[in-house]
Structures are given as structure tokens and as C-alpha cells.
Amino acid sequence: MRILLMSTSVGPFGSGIGGGVELTIYNLAQELMARSHQIQLVAPVGSSADTLALTTIPGEVHPFAQNESRSADIRVPARSVLNAMWQFAQTLQHSYDLILNFAYDWLPFYLTPFFDTPVAHFVSMGSLLDPIDDLIRQCAHRFPHRLGAYTQTQADTFGLGLPWQILSSGIDLNLYEYQPQAEPALAWVARIAPEKGLEDAAAAAAATGLELRILGKMQDESYWQWVQSQVPAAQLTYLGFHPTPVMQAHLGRCQGLLMTPKWIEAFGNVAIEALACGVPVISYARGAHRNHQTWQDRLFSGTRWH
Ligand code: HBI
């Protein structure tokens, strides 16, 4: 098939601002091309995607849905890059058999019935904003099986009984190497942002006396400063945002990965990346992690870790 992939609206593809959904888009595109489908990615200007056919579109990126209040009106930037991306998609829709949306935004769901070419959606987060939830439910009823989610746990946050395709997530195991020797350090890999709960990982590192090696996009500098002020005893080493080969080399040298989400993590790609490197995962029994292997019943008072 000829498939048009429409990227996330929050930042350029490859910048790390889109978090796990960037890895999902890249891995899906690689596998679809390996199966002889023709793939074209549309993303904001400034994007880079090595072997992928890419069209970049100028415009203003969108505010993060997770930072908006649940019942607030939808905010669209004046020169929204997403509006421009979907206008572009409309002009060339007849050259494609399928359009796949990866943005968690109002517009692509609203436009679904207005396109001749079928539009399907990979929803990358759990329920966050009422106006988008309403649209997703409308899409589900009007176009059953056009909605993909990582996990049933994530899908259920939009209400029970909707016809989701549960797609899980996958990684290219050739990119991850097992390292037999671990150094006395724990790892934390995510966008540096409040919904990821870095302060809890810092507290765990302080409690164990282990260095915490932090990898991921520096999304919220003031939050990073706050975490350091909250846990002065923790030895926190920020290693930056890196492409998979470099990230997994750091991750593989650690004794364990801490996952401390404050929201319903839709999947948590880094959990399977750590396991691919032979690194045990310590996470909350919340969100998609409940599906992952249990590692330890309780680590802190009252906090159930899995
Ligand atoms: N917020 N408005 C908006 N649109 C997105 O596509 C989006 C987002 N927040 C986070 C996000 N995408 C991705 O980082 C997660 O889906 C992984």
C-alpha cells in the first residue's frame, strides 16, 4: 500500500519532543517498508528521519495535551503546523491508500470523515482532554477499527467497549546489546517533564545511594531544577537526549531502570528497551506497566512497585 504517516504536532520528528511516539513512527515505517509498502512521513520543519521519505511543513507547534486542563477548550496556535500538515495531506490524499495519524490533537480526528482516503489513528496516550476523548469515541463508532492503541489499559481510559485495535509496541532488537557487567547506577529514561515523575526516581536513588543516570529530552528546565532541589542527597547525572544506539549503551550499563509515571503511561517503550539490554525494570503498578513482569512487590512505604 501507499501510506502517508502524519507525525505529532508538538515538535520536529527526531527532536525527542514527541517522546515514544517518534520511536513508534520510525519502527512502524521501517517494518512497513520492509514489507514493500511505500511510506511517506509528513512532519514539522526541522524534522529529520534518515532513510524515511519526509516532507517537512512550516508552522507553529502545538502545546502539549498533557499540560492542558481536561475540560478546557481546544487551543490551536495561530499558524498551526498541524493545520498546514493536514491541508498538505488533503491535496495529495488521492496518491495514497491510507493516511495514518500519530498526533494526539483535535484536528485529525475531526477531519476523518472529510477525507476520501481512509484516515486511521494511532493514539499515543491515554485519555487526557474531554474534547479529544469525545471525538475519539465518535470516530470509534463511525469508523470502527480505525483506532489503534498500545495497550488495553490505555484504550480503557477512553471508556469501555470501544472497537480498538490493540497494537502493543515493538523495537528493533538488532539495535540493543546485552552488557554482562553493570555499574553501580540506576537509569531513568524519559522526557524530563512532570508527568514522568523524575522526583520519585531521584528519591529512590538517594535511598539506595546509587547514582541515577538520566537520559531524555530536557523538556521542562524549571522542573529539572525543582527535582534537584527536592532531592539534594541524590547523585543525579543528566546524560542528554541521544539516538537509540547511544541511549541503549548507557542504559545497558545500569543495574536497573526506574519508571515512575504520574500519568497512565500508554506503553512505556523504554521498558522493553531496557529488557532488550538485559536491564531489569522497576515501575509502578499503573498504566501499561501492569502488563509487564512483576519485579518486586514493594520498595517504598505504601508505593506498590512492579
Ligand atoms: N500533545 N497536543 C499534543 N499533540 C501530540 O501529538 C502530543 C502531545 N503530547 C505528547 C505527545 N504527543 C507525545 O510525546 C506522546 O504521545 C508520546
Side-chain angles (χ1 to χ4, degrees), residues 4-8 11-15 40-50 52-61 80-89 92 96:
L4 191 62
L5 306 185
M6 304 296 288
S7 188
T8 176
F13 183 84
S15 67
Q40 169 78 33
L41 177 62
V42 178
V45 78
S47 297
S48 64
D50 57 61
L52 266 183
L54 169 66
T55 299
T56 63
I57 304 286
E60 203 175 332
V61 295
S80 154
V81 68
L82 194 67
N83 293 2
M85 284 165 59
W86 281 85
Q87 280 163 343
F88 177 73
L92 44 71
Y96 291 90

Side-chain angles (χ1 to χ4, degrees), residues 8-10 17-21 63-66 102-105 124-125 191:
T8 176
S9 62
V10 293
I17 296 171
V21 80
F64 289 105
Q66 64 269 33
F102 291 85
Y104 188 95
D105 287 277
S124 65
M125 295 185 285
R191 291 175 289 113

Side-chain angles (χ1 to χ4, degrees), residues 3-304:
I3 309 175
L4 191 62
L5 306 185
M6 304 296 288
S7 188
T8 176
S9 62
V10 293
F13 183 84
S15 67
I17 296 171
V21 80
E22 290 187 27
L23 185 67
T24 296
I25 292 172
Y26 184 80
N27 286 338
L28 273 176
Q30 295 301 322
E31 185 55 31
L32 287 168
M33 286 191 293
R35 299 181 188 192
S36 308
H37 296 286
Q38 293 163 41
I39 302 297
Q40 169 78 33
L41 177 62
V42 178
V45 78
S47 297
S48 64
D50 57 61
T51 58
L52 266 183
L54 169 66
T55 299
T56 63
I57 304 286
E60 203 175 332
V61 295
H62 280 219
F64 289 105
Q66 64 269 33
N67 295 347
E68 304 289 286
S69 60
R70 169 169 285 284
S71 54
D73 294 341
I74 292 293
R75 292 192 305 132
V76 179
R79 291 179 306 101
S80 154
V81 68
L82 194 67
N83 293 2
M85 284 165 59
W86 281 85
Q87 280 163 343
F88 177 73
Q90 189 198 23
T91 59
L92 44 71
Q93 62 173 308
H94 298 108
S95 307
Y96 291 90
D97 305 300
L98 175 65
I99 299 173
L100 274 185
N101 167 52
F102 291 85
Y104 188 95
D105 287 277
W106 184 85
L107 182 69
F109 295 103
Y110 181 74
L111 288 178
T112 304
F114 293 92
F115 272 66
D116 302 326
T117 301
V119 177
H121 304 275
F122 191 111
V123 178
S124 65
M125 295 185 285
S127 162
L128 278 174
L129 306 180
D130 293 342
I132 296 188
D133 287 11
D134 291 346
L135 260 184
I136 285 179
R137 282 189 284 271
Q138 284 173 43
C139 254
H141 294 305
R142 190 158 173 189
F143 304 100
H145 309 304
R146 292 265 199 93
L147 291 179
Y150 287 116
T151 61
Q152 191 63 55
T153 311
Q154 171 205 357
D156 289 347
T157 64
F158 293 97
L160 302 178
L162 296 176
W164 290 88
Q165 298 292 310
I166 303 303
L167 302 172
S168 188
S169 184
I171 53 177
D172 177 356
L173 288 176
N174 299 319
L175 300 179
Y176 301 82
E177 56 187 307
Y178 171 73
Q179 295 181 55
Q181 299 308 322
E183 295 163 11
L186 292 168
W188 188 90
V189 183
R191 291 175 289 113
I192 318 287
E195 67 270 13
K196 297 292 188 176
L198 178 54
E199 64 275 19
D200 292 4
T208 56
L210 289 170
E211 176 192 12
L212 184 67
R213 294 179 186 169
I214 298 159
L215 290 132
K217 185 73 183 175
M218 180 54 71
Q219 190 166 298
D220 186 332
E221 182 68 39
S222 60
Y223 171 66
W224 168 232
Q225 297 306 327
W226 175 77
V227 169
Q228 295 174 86
S229 68
Q230 282 296 103
V231 197
Q235 186 190 343
L236 306 177
T237 310
Y238 177 55
L239 295 171
F241 169 72
H242 299 283
T244 300
V246 175
M247 183 278 285
Q248 67 85 34
H250 286 297
L251 176 53
R253 283 195 285 274
C254 293
Q255 289 175 319
L257 173 77
L258 297 183
M259 294 188 75
T260 53
K262 300 293 186 179
W263 63 346
I264 297 278
E265 193 72 39
F267 186 84
N269 281 309
V270 69
I272 56 177
E273 295 183 289
L275 296 177
C277 298
V279 176
V281 177
I282 306 168
S283 74
Y284 290 140
R286 173 190 299 144
H289 302 107
R290 144 190 345 268
N291 309 333
H292 292 296
Q293 185 181 346
T294 297
W295 187 77
Q296 181 167 345
D297 279 345
R298 191 174 297 276
L299 191 63
F300 281 112
S301 59
T303 305
R304 279 189 60 73

